[in-house]
Amino acid sequence: MRRLLPILSLVLALPLFGEAKIEDLSWMTGHWAATIDGVQMEEVWLAPGGGLLVGMHRDISAKRTSFEYQRIAETKDGIVYLAQPGGQPPTPFRLVESSANRAVFANPQHDFPKRILYWRDGEKLCARVEGDGESAEQGCWWRKK
């Protein structure tokens, strides 16, 4: 029993060591742009500050222009991604996975998307939104100087 106690203490403390901080997402910072299938896309993320990353996304095509306000905030419940497509009220997605260059946010109750993934691929910022089954959209943007 004496040998089990230190091991049990370490196992119970593991979530404390693995807790993400907003600064861990600084790899998203920048002005990113690409043209994919005729759609000009831009995404901008300001550096973390005050427990918050602020972002904006814009798509421009011959048929339409759309935008989305985004923010990632430290809350009492952890890190949350708040999406506001077209300026609608925010929809929360909780950070469920993170590493040095990857973050996964989820809201299983939302219609679409249910998961939002971001990762760095060299000098590119990539994102993927996923729904149920096969529904998904993905894009990668080059950093704009």
Side-chain angles (χ1 to χ4, degrees):
M1 182 66 170
R2 284 185 181 168
R3 283 186 272 181
L4 266 176
L5 198 51
I7 293 171
L8 184 58
S9 298
L10 180 61
V11 169
L12 291 175
L14 281 177
L16 299 174
F17 294 117
E19 201 168 310
K21 303 283 185 230
I22 200 82
E23 291 78 15
D24 296 339
L25 300 174
S26 63
W27 52 267
M28 294 174 65
T29 301
H31 186 165
W32 308 90
T35 299
I36 301 172
D37 297 329
V39 179
Q40 295 174 20
M41 300 179 188
E42 285 184 279
E43 189 149 316
V44 176
W45 284 100
L46 300 179
L52 188 69
L53 270 94
V54 176
M56 184 277 305
H57 182 96
R58 176 175 60 184
D59 291 338
I60 301 172
S61 72
K63 295 181 182 178
R64 67 176 222 171
T65 297
S66 61
F67 70 95
E68 180 172 346
Y69 298 126
Q70 307 151 306
R71 67 185 183 273
I72 301 173
E74 285 181 345
T75 70
K76 62 180 176 66
D77 298 322
I79 295 177
V80 177
Y81 180 104
L82 297 147
Q84 293 183 257
Q88 296 175 15
T91 301
F93 295 83
R94 190 150 194 246
L95 181 67
V96 295
E97 177 188 327
S98 69
S99 63
N101 289 315
R102 179 179 157 92
V104 180
F105 303 89
N107 180 340
Q109 288 74 40
H110 192 250
D111 54 358
F112 184 86
K114 294 193 181 294
R115 286 175 20 118
I116 301 171
L117 298 81
Y118 277 92
W119 68 95
R120 281 290 295 269
D121 180 7
E123 290 299 312
K124 294 186 285 185
L125 177 70
C126 300
R128 179 179 171 92
V129 291
E130 300 177 342
D132 289 326
E134 297 296 315
S135 61
E137 297 175 21
Q138 180 171 319
C140 291
W141 307 281
W142 289 101
R143 182 180 297 272
K144 206 171 189 182
K145 307 247 180 209

